[in-house]
Amino acid sequence: MGPPASPGFYVSRAVALLLAGLAAALLLALAVLASLYGHCARVPPSELRDRGAPAAAPSLPGQQEPTAQPGPTPEPDVAATRRYRRPPGPWDQLRLPPWLVPLHYELELWPRLRPRDLSASALRFTGRVNITVRCTAATARLLLHSLFLDCESAEVRGPLSPDAGDASAGRVSVVERWFAVDMQYLVLELGDALQPGSLYELQLGFSGAVSQDTREGLFLNLYTDQGERRALLASQMEPTFARNVFPCFDEPALKATFNITIIHHPRYVALSNMPKLSQSEKEDVNRSTWTVTTFHTTPHMPTYLAAFVVCDYEHISRIERGKEIRIWARKDAIADGNADFALNITGPIFSFLEDLFNISYPLPKTDIIALPTFDNRAMENWGLLTFDESLLLLQPNDKLTEKKIMIFYIVSHEIGHQWFGNLVTMNWWNNIWLNEGFASYFEFGIINHFNPKLPRNEIFFSNILHGVLREDHALVSRAVSMKVESFTETNEINELFDLFTYNKGASLARMLASFLNEKIFISALKSYLETFSYSNAEQDDLWRHFQMAIDHQSKILLPTTVKSIMDSWTQQSGFPVITLNVSTGVMKQEPFYLGKVKNQTLLTHNDTWIIPILWIKNGTTQSLVWLDKSSKVFPEMQVSDSDHDWVILNLNVTGYYRVNYDKLGWKKLNQQLEKDPKAIPVIHRLQLVDDAFSLSKNDYIEIETALDLTKYLAEEDEIIVWHAVLMNLVTRDLVSDVNNHDIYPLLKKYLLKRLISIWNTYSTIIRENVTALQEDYLALISLEKVFGTACWLGLEDCLQLSRELFRNWMNHPENEIPNPIKNVILCYGIALGNDKEWDFLLKIYNNNTKEEERIQLAYAMSCSKDPWILNRYMDYAITVSPFTFNETNVIEAVAASEVGRYVAKDFLINNWQAVSERYGTQSLVTLLYVIGRTISTESQILELQQFCSNMLEEHQRLTVQAKLQTIKNENLKNKERSARIVAWLRKNT
């Protein structure tokens, strides 16, 4: 008896014969295709399985020799591809085998971009690359990176003779080539082994598609300039996208020189890392003329810094220390002077860093280009820096924004990379923080040099430190510096470009500078940069140069080596909480967790940090001490019963940690704030608020301790401190929760009494001299929260000012709403108005083409308090004009407000299919989280589950259920916290 019959369907004999014939034809076609597979057709990752070959060759040392010049690239005679499944091999590893070292690339790219042909859905490019390599180990197999490319030809020439030139070079046959897609390799199987110590040239012809959906590899930008629709091509190679453009050895340590040639339409200009060497013409098979632009040879650099642009742009330029700097942008933007600010600051920044490090910028020119759309913000390509135009061009109406300072920071960051990253490159991506962390740190040194009045510590805290401390904790998934072995996939490299690499890296560099001194810090960096110029370095190399600087002086004494100190911060996740008992002088450290666990033996974070403690006592700076164990006694930190005795740890908040005190320590600080807040510097008033509320939220101290620090606020005239208080007290959930009836009237009474002074100061400036805010960066980043809170608390003057500014703008559009408070005024203009104001804003939205402003207007329209207006808005977005609101999920925007949550829920009941079609099924899941953000009971969860039962797939319902349980638990905890806040407010109002 055979197996049980399977369910199936019946076919007639004729149909069966027909199917059999088709199957045979298909098998024949597959056999033909398989025989052609050796000709290296482009194979998408989803369609190719890796195939293996014999074991890898051993690595042997070799000596660098002169490079050979490229020759022609004929199509080799490649044998048919072997079609067995390949065993495990070097193509399964993320890192290239060390058999070949690239020395020089001769690269030619020919993108087929034409000015009048912008509608083509699949723009392609062709190219040739000749790579001179040195063989370090005998091998008959070559691996290099290639992804999404068609390999048209492959040849290996050599051994090359430096004396006789290419003419005498032999050939090594390529018997097979294939793709190992998982690790993105092109594999060449050779007829003979390459010999260690010899030079060879790999000659490859290839083609590929220009990316139109992502900004990776060679990508297309469509834009409008001078009333015409235009296009440009640009490249983004970091971290691993050079392999999308040309076959290469795509690792940062494999530096080489590049000769780059770009073939392009004559109407376009071609840019690359180096200045133009020559220009000629050539005809294609259709007798169309193309321009051939060749560039000078680059210095030794990694593939991720190679850069190309083909565009129809204008530029402005200046000479700085004999080298040309050009800013390229849309012709309209150049004519309007939008690039002038960037040009004026670029040269002085270069000169400042040259003088600081005593190392000249090595390239003969710098091009900086403003791309219409560039998702990666900015990129430091050597000699050709690329920026999203929104981060480089200064519009006339940007005066009352933080845009000017932001451009200064970002330009400074990318120029800083010319030394940290380009001149000296990390050995591999696990230490990318050596690039990004130091470039981020020096942003602030640069801008402080040119703008000495800016409050450097407060800005660093607000822009860098606050954000990363909020996200970092002991159980976070990674440290700043990771072990190479922990990486197994290419996409893990892309994930390294995050808050920890940039912000935590910058914070650790700042901490290092603080416990040394500026002279030693810069001296060590000079030595490091000089030693590893045009080369690569590890984290330990940097620590060694700092140790050398320490060893050559006697003033600064460290408890251990620089490596031991800094490894304790870079090689473990999270950061410490330091607790000082001011009665006994006992200081202890512990890892910071999101929610302190009483039985911490259950947790796995057992390491300690070697912590520099800079501190002040009664306003006077004290000597540096070190906490290099879990607990230590510092008798000098004890305080007396005197009202004037207080201690604050972490001077200028240069240490990467939070500070806690015993009850007496907090009490002393609170007393000082109420008595004379100006005796405590602004940065430390900011620190006390931020640390106290974070520690209370995560169960290290009571919420009442944090609230006590706000009693003095009537005397607080620094808006950045107010911003910190309001961000912690007036949270988004509190503002959008209609069930906050207990806390709202008490908070209103408590805060308005203290807020009125700072309100009067800035509302007067807004009314009488708004241009005075141009130079007040901290006000520009803080005003929105302060004004929004004042209006939410019902301060009549705030509501009246909102009406005035909105109506004045309606009646006289040239009277624009001041940017720092524009979101607030737009929202309350709609909330306090009716359909007249709403229709006006819709008209403005429809006539606006700037994505950022359209998003701002779309969210403002969701601020209406009228259910019928909100229903009309959602209906308009979903059915009436479904392609209008492409930048914003209108239903989510409506659901985020206290009134809109219920309106959106009702709308979803009747229109969920249309919403799903408009925004995708995942949007329904997100909407349920937004609608259910205040749930606190099982019955509310059940109600939402029933509500969404017909909308979602089974797996989505399970996901939603788990998420709603998490939201409920968080809300229950927050309710307990809110109840304690209410009790405290009743006692102190």
Side-chain angles (χ1 to χ4, degrees):
M1 179 182 292
S6 301
F9 57 90
Y10 170 79
V11 293
S12 68
R13 182 174 180 179
V15 172
L17 290 171
L18 176 61
L19 291 174
L22 288 173
L26 179 61
L27 288 172
L28 179 61
L30 287 173
V32 173
L33 288 172
S35 70
L36 295 173
Y37 182 70
H39 292 280
C40 202
R42 176 175 179 268
V43 186
S46 60
E47 298 177 14
L48 182 65
R49 295 179 180 174
D50 286 0
R51 295 173 297 168
S59 173
L60 295 173
Q63 299 297 318
Q64 182 170 326
E65 297 187 24
T67 59
Q69 295 301 312
T73 314
E75 174 73 33
D77 182 16
V78 181
T81 304
R82 291 166 293 191
R83 291 180 291 279
Y84 56 81
R85 181 170 179 81
R86 301 181 188 271
W91 40 84
D92 299 317
Q93 303 301 313
L94 184 60
R95 302 290 301 275
L96 281 163
W99 312 330
L100 299 178
V101 176
L103 304 177
H104 180 72
Y105 291 81
E106 288 280 341
L107 174 62
E108 177 186 280
L109 290 176
W110 187 352
R112 299 311 200 272
L113 179 67
R114 295 176 174 86
R116 303 296 179 187
D117 186 20
L118 306 181
S119 59
S121 59
L123 181 65
R124 293 189 65 79
F125 64 91
T126 58
R128 296 183 301 115
V129 64
N130 298 347
I131 312 173
T132 303
V133 299
R134 175 166 40 85
C135 179
T136 63
T139 178
R141 178 182 302 113
L142 310 183
L143 273 71
L144 63 163
H145 289 107
S146 180
L147 184 66
F148 303 134
L149 294 175
D150 295 327
C151 179
E152 312 290 355
S153 62
E155 181 176 346
V156 177
R157 303 189 66 213
L160 303 178
S161 172
D163 298 327
D166 289 352
S168 63
R171 293 187 182 182
V172 180
S173 62
V174 179
V175 297
E176 182 183 8
R177 55 184 186 266
W178 54 278
F179 285 107
V181 175
D182 284 352
M183 294 302 167
Q184 304 175 358
Y185 291 132
L186 167 63
V187 183
L188 304 182
E189 306 282 3
L190 307 182
D192 298 293
L194 305 188
Q195 297 306 308
S198 297
L199 299 181
Y200 295 85
E201 186 175 72
L202 317 182
Q203 298 184 341
L204 302 165
F206 57 90
S207 63
V210 172
S211 174
Q212 301 189 49
D213 300 324
T214 65
R215 314 292 167 240
E216 299 173 356
L218 192 63
F219 62 87
L220 181 73
N221 261 196
L222 297 174
Y223 64 100
T224 300
D225 194 12
Q226 297 182 323
E228 291 183 5
R229 194 68 172 154
R230 297 182 182 177
L232 64 76
L233 294 177
S235 64
Q236 169 61 20
M237 306 301 203
E238 189 181 34
T240 59
F241 306 129
R243 65 193 68 175
N244 297 26
V245 182
F246 60 101
C248 57
F249 296 86
D250 201 9
E251 292 187 2
L254 298 178
K255 291 186 172 184
T257 55
F258 289 76
N259 283 349
I260 294 170
T261 297
I262 300 176
I263 303 173
H264 56 94
H265 191 277
R267 178 172 162 180
Y268 292 122
V269 62
L271 303 173
S272 188
N273 304 84
M274 298 298 287
K276 180 175 65 178
L277 173 64
S278 64
Q279 208 162 53
S280 59
E281 292 184 349
K282 71 174 295 181
E283 288 187 349
D284 62 17
V285 293
N286 298 318
R287 307 187 72 82
S288 297
T289 300
W290 295 79
T291 298
V292 181
T293 301
T294 301
F295 300 90
H296 283 274
T297 305
T298 70
H300 278 86
M301 66 181 195
T303 49
Y304 81 81
L305 290 178
F308 328 103
V309 169
V310 176
C311 65
D312 182 16
Y313 267 13
E314 292 285 358
H315 72 272
I316 54 175
S317 64
R318 66 178 281 174
I319 302 297
E320 183 77 16
R321 296 184 174 178
K323 297 180 179 181
E324 187 175 30
I325 296 169
R326 299 185 294 186
I327 309 290
W328 296 81
R330 290 175 295 105
K331 295 176 180 180
D332 283 342
I334 294 293
D336 292 342
N338 299 156
D340 292 355
F341 177 71
L343 181 66
N344 290 336
I345 64 174
T346 297
I349 294 172
F350 268 106
S351 295
F352 170 73
L353 290 176
E354 284 184 332
D355 293 341
L356 183 67
F357 300 126
N358 196 30
I359 299 175
S360 296
Y361 175 67
L363 271 65
K365 64 90 177 177
T366 298
D367 285 314
I368 298 179
I369 187 163
L371 302 177
T373 306
F374 188 39
D375 303 336
N376 291 80
R377 294 172 52 89
M379 178 61 200
E380 66 268 18
N381 311 302
W382 227 352
L384 179 52
L385 288 71
T386 49
F387 286 72
D388 192 298
E389 68 172 29
S390 67
L391 305 178
L392 187 70
L393 304 182
L394 192 66
Q395 308 288 342
N397 60 354
D398 287 333
K399 291 179 181 178
L400 279 180
T401 71
E402 63 272 24
K403 184 80 169 284
K404 189 174 180 180
I405 296 296
M406 180 190 68
I407 291 172
F408 215 129
Y409 276 124
I410 295 175
V411 171
S412 298
H413 181 98
E414 302 309 327
I415 295 177
H417 273 308
Q418 308 308 301
W419 285 264
F420 294 97
N422 297 9
L423 186 66
V424 178
T425 311
M426 72 279 147
N427 202 49
W428 205 65
W429 299 107
N430 61 311
N431 277 319
I432 183 60
W433 86 273
L434 295 177
N435 285 21
E436 300 299 348
F438 278 86
S440 298
Y441 169 73
F442 275 104
E443 291 176 29
F444 294 86
I446 293 166
I447 203 164
N448 186 250
H449 173 79
F450 291 103
N451 302 271
K453 292 183 180 179
L454 281 175
R456 182 177 183 175
N457 291 320
E458 290 80 0
I459 291 178
F460 189 93
F461 181 88
S462 301
N463 288 8
I464 298 290
L465 188 57
H466 167 75
V468 70
L469 285 178
R470 188 176 54 195
E471 298 297 325
D472 203 4
H473 56 91
L475 300 181
V476 77
S477 59
R478 75 174 191 89
V480 167
S481 177
M482 302 176 67
K483 296 183 183 301
V484 174
E485 302 79 43
S486 63
F487 294 85
T488 58
E489 296 181 1
T490 304
N491 61 8
E492 293 173 343
I493 298 171
N494 299 325
E495 294 167 2
L496 291 174
F497 292 80
D498 61 8
L499 202 65
F500 301 107
T501 290
Y502 288 79
N503 291 28
K504 186 170 182 177
S507 299
L508 296 181
R510 179 170 175 255
M511 183 173 68
L512 175 61
S514 73
F515 69 74
L516 301 176
N517 60 44
E518 189 72 10
K519 183 179 179 181
I520 294 175
F521 184 73
I522 296 300
S523 173
L525 289 177
K526 284 181 181 178
S527 174
Y528 166 78
L529 291 171
E530 289 170 359
T531 302
F532 294 99
S533 290
Y534 307 104
S535 186
N536 297 79
E538 301 275 5
Q539 177 176 278
D540 282 356
D541 297 318
L542 180 63
W543 302 153
R544 187 166 59 254
H545 282 265
F546 273 104
Q547 191 63 50
M548 289 162 54
I550 288 292
D551 293 343
H552 281 86
Q553 56 83 55
S554 57
K555 186 177 179 180
I556 304 295
L557 300 176
L558 302 180
T560 183
T561 63
V562 174
K563 173 178 167 56
S564 297
I565 294 169
M566 295 308 296
D567 280 357
S568 76
W569 295 91
T570 63
Q571 294 189 353
Q572 63 177 327
S573 60
F575 63 89
V577 176
I578 293 171
T579 301
L580 173 65
N581 187 315
V582 299
S583 299
T584 63
V586 173
M587 187 190 302
K588 67 174 184 177
Q589 64 165 292
E590 59 185 313
F592 176 80
Y593 293 97
L594 294 180
K596 185 178 181 182
V597 180
K598 291 182 180 179
N599 185 9
Q600 294 197 0
T601 58
L602 297 176
L603 302 173
T604 58
H605 200 296
N606 298 317
D607 292 329
T608 58
W609 290 262
I610 303 174
I611 307 171
I613 311 290
L614 289 160
W615 58 295
I616 55 177
K617 188 171 187 178
N618 307 329
T620 303
T621 302
Q622 307 295 310
S623 299
L624 169 70
V625 298
W626 290 87
L627 180 61
D628 52 2
K629 54 185 71 173
S630 59
S631 180
K632 206 169 182 179
V633 180
F634 297 95
E636 65 272 31
M637 293 185 183
Q638 293 175 274
V639 300
S640 66
D641 293 333
S642 167
D643 292 342
H644 302 283
D645 224 7
W646 51 272
V647 170
I648 291 180
L649 305 185
N650 200 6
L651 178 64
N652 293 327
V653 200
T654 55
Y656 189 72
Y657 51 85
R658 292 200 183 277
V659 181
N660 188 14
Y661 305 92
D662 65 342
K663 288 186 178 180
L664 179 60
W666 285 114
K667 179 183 177 182
K668 289 284 187 179
L669 292 168
N670 185 43
Q671 288 174 343
Q672 183 60 47
L673 285 172
E674 294 195 59
K675 182 178 180 180
D676 180 14
K678 295 297 178 67
I680 297 178
V682 177
I683 183 61
H684 290 295
R685 304 204 297 273
L686 192 58
Q687 172 203 16
L688 290 174
V689 167
D690 198 66
D691 279 354
F693 276 98
S694 176
L695 293 171
S696 69
K697 182 180 180 181
N698 292 287
D699 303 323
Y700 286 84
I701 63 173
E702 308 292 338
I703 180 59
E704 292 82 359
T705 302
L707 292 169
D708 283 341
L709 295 175
T710 68
K711 291 178 181 179
Y712 85 100
L713 282 174
E715 305 301 320
E716 181 57 77
D717 58 3
E718 293 290 342
I719 195 168
I720 189 66
V721 180
W722 267 104
H723 180 265
V725 171
L726 297 178
M727 290 298 291
N728 282 287
L729 265 183
V730 185
T731 61
R732 182 176 178 180
D733 287 343
L734 177 64
V735 171
S736 62
D737 186 3
V738 294
N739 298 315
N740 61 23
H741 49 79
D742 283 342
I743 196 172
Y744 178 81
L746 294 167
L747 198 60
K748 175 178 179 177
K749 187 175 181 180
Y750 180 80
L751 283 178
L752 285 184
K753 179 180 177 181
R754 290 161 174 80
L755 187 67
I756 195 67
S757 177
I758 196 82
W759 166 262
N760 287 338
T761 298
Y762 283 97
S763 62
T764 300
I765 293 174
I766 292 290
R767 285 187 166 109
E768 298 178 1
N769 186 23
V770 69
T771 57
L773 295 173
Q774 289 185 45
E775 305 304 322
D776 191 347
Y777 177 77
L778 295 181
L780 292 175
I781 64 175
S782 304
L783 272 171
E784 181 177 315
K785 184 62 179 178
V786 172
F787 269 59
T789 301
C791 284
W792 178 70
L793 292 172
L795 181 63
E796 184 53 41
D797 191 42
C798 184
L799 300 176
Q800 182 58 32
L801 182 59
S802 298
R803 293 188 192 97
E804 289 174 12
L805 291 174
F806 192 94
R807 288 174 183 170
N808 189 30
W809 177 54
M810 278 184 68
N811 297 327
H812 306 282
E814 69 277 9
N815 295 334
E816 294 188 3
I817 300 169
N819 251 301
I821 56 171
K822 189 170 184 178
N823 284 331
V824 177
I825 303 306
L826 289 176
C827 186
Y828 278 92
I830 293 296
L832 299 170
N834 53 37
D835 57 331
K836 180 182 178 182
E837 284 78 10
W838 198 95
D839 291 342
F840 168 77
L841 214 59
L842 178 62
K843 181 180 178 182
I844 296 293
Y845 175 92
N846 286 330
N847 292 331
N848 198 312
T849 58
K850 297 180 179 178
E851 182 177 356
E852 185 178 348
E853 292 181 11
R854 284 168 66 89
I855 292 172
Q856 185 181 48
L857 294 168
Y859 274 98
M861 284 186 279
S862 71
C863 292
S864 176
K865 304 292 186 184
D866 293 328
W868 74 270
I869 290 179
L870 295 176
N871 266 304
R872 185 182 70 167
Y873 184 23
M874 292 185 288
D875 190 55
Y876 185 85
I878 297 300
T879 59
V880 178
S881 185
F883 299 106
T884 302
F885 296 92
N886 288 327
E887 309 88 356
T888 311
N889 186 319
V890 168
I891 316 301
E892 283 183 26
V894 170
S897 71
E898 66 266 40
V899 175
R901 175 156 49 114
Y902 301 99
V903 178
K905 184 179 177 183
D906 290 341
F907 183 87
L908 201 56
I909 292 173
N910 300 315
N911 299 276
W912 67 269
Q913 286 181 314
V915 172
S916 178
E917 290 172 7
R918 175 71 173 89
Y919 296 117
T921 55
Q922 184 58 37
S923 71
L924 298 177
V925 175
T926 306
L927 271 169
L928 288 169
Y929 300 159
V930 176
I931 291 170
R933 65 185 176 276
T934 61
I935 60 171
S936 58
T937 66
E938 288 294 331
S939 61
Q940 289 173 322
I941 291 179
L942 184 60
E943 179 192 352
L944 275 177
Q945 286 176 324
Q946 292 172 343
F947 167 69
C948 69
S949 60
N950 295 327
M951 304 180 193
L952 304 178
E953 301 291 338
E954 177 63 24
H955 71 280
Q956 291 176 317
R957 288 198 291 271
L958 293 173
T959 301
V960 167
Q961 181 180 359
K963 177 67 175 180
L964 291 177
Q965 283 288 349
T966 301
I967 292 173
K968 184 201 79 169
N969 294 335
E970 290 176 355
N971 287 341
L972 286 174
K973 180 182 177 182
N974 289 337
K975 276 197 170 184
E976 295 175 10
R977 179 180 171 90
S978 295
R980 294 179 68 170
I981 294 174
V982 167
W984 186 93
L985 288 170
R986 287 198 176 113
K987 181 179 177 182
N988 290 277
T989 300

